Amino acid sequence: MERRTIAIGSDHAAIEMKNFIRDELEFDGYSVKDMWTNTPEAVDYPDIAHPLAELISKKSADLGILICGTGIGMSLTANQHEWVRAAVCRNIETAELARQHNDANIICMPGRFIDEKLAYEMVKIFLSTEFEWGRHENRVNKISNF
Ligand code: RB5
């Protein structure tokens, strides 16, 4: 099977969680692009989210993972990019539905409100769930302004 490329990034609020997930995914056999941050200094979440979203938009990575304190800033930023559907998820069910119903291609997670174990479980379900098409296709097609 072709190795899938996953891009991952966080701001200072979730570096350890980001690195934990990155390492687990590499261990699982994914090709992982670490889009930072990797230093403890505060960074502005758009500086991480824009380059990662650009990778997804250009199809240089298959799916993305963005983590900040709430997941919200990352999502708002990433959704400015063409073809990007970045969904804030905070449990396994929403991570699964974001793929099944919304064809989300970036999962955004609230690093300050979930633990690493749950975050990794959410990522695993997000990466392994397919879009359901059917009635959801037309709805997803109506989202974009681009
Ligand atoms: C950083 O303090 C925090 O604002 C950021 O991680 C994120 O929650 C923004 O949406």
Side-chain angles (χ1 to χ4, degrees):
M1 200 176 84
E2 193 185 325
R3 230 156 76 104
R4 285 206 296 171
T5 300
I6 308 302
I8 188 167
S10 77
D11 70 2
H12 51 281
I15 298 174
E16 283 179 18
M17 180 178 285
K18 186 262 291 171
N19 289 346
F20 171 76
I21 294 170
R22 176 199 63 201
D23 294 347
E24 291 293 321
L25 292 180
E26 281 173 348
F27 184 78
D28 290 344
Y30 289 97
S31 168
V32 184
K33 293 189 182 187
D34 185 346
M35 302 299 288
W36 282 56
T37 191
N38 279 326
T39 57
E41 293 82 39
V43 290
D44 300 332
Y45 54 81
D47 293 340
I48 305 297
H50 277 308
L52 188 147
E54 197 60 19
L55 282 183
I56 300 296
S57 183
K58 298 245 163 72
K59 307 203 188 313
S60 301
D62 298 302
L63 291 170
I65 302 160
L66 284 168
I67 317 168
C68 61
T70 60
I72 295 170
M74 291 295 198
S75 159
L76 292 173
T77 308
N79 279 315
Q80 302 303 310
H81 293 254
E82 195 174 10
W83 304 119
V84 166
R85 288 176 296 279
V88 181
C89 302
R90 48 176 310 145
N91 51 40
I92 290 178
E93 291 81 1
T94 50
E96 186 173 33
L97 285 165
R99 288 286 309 127
Q100 287 176 337
H101 288 193
N102 310 110
D103 201 15
N105 46 20
I106 298 179
I107 183 171
C108 300
M109 296 188 292
R112 291 197 170 126
F113 299 98
I114 57 173
D115 63 24
E116 279 181 3
K117 186 171 172 292
L118 175 58
Y120 179 52
E121 291 302 318
M122 289 165 62
V123 164
K124 279 201 296 188
I125 197 101
F126 185 81
L127 299 185
S128 62
T129 302
E130 296 294 330
F131 182 43
E132 279 184 359
W133 297 93
R135 68 188 189 281
H136 302 294
E137 183 182 6
N138 198 36
R139 295 168 185 171
V140 168
N141 284 339
K142 286 183 176 179
I143 293 174
S144 184
N145 273 332
F146 297 108

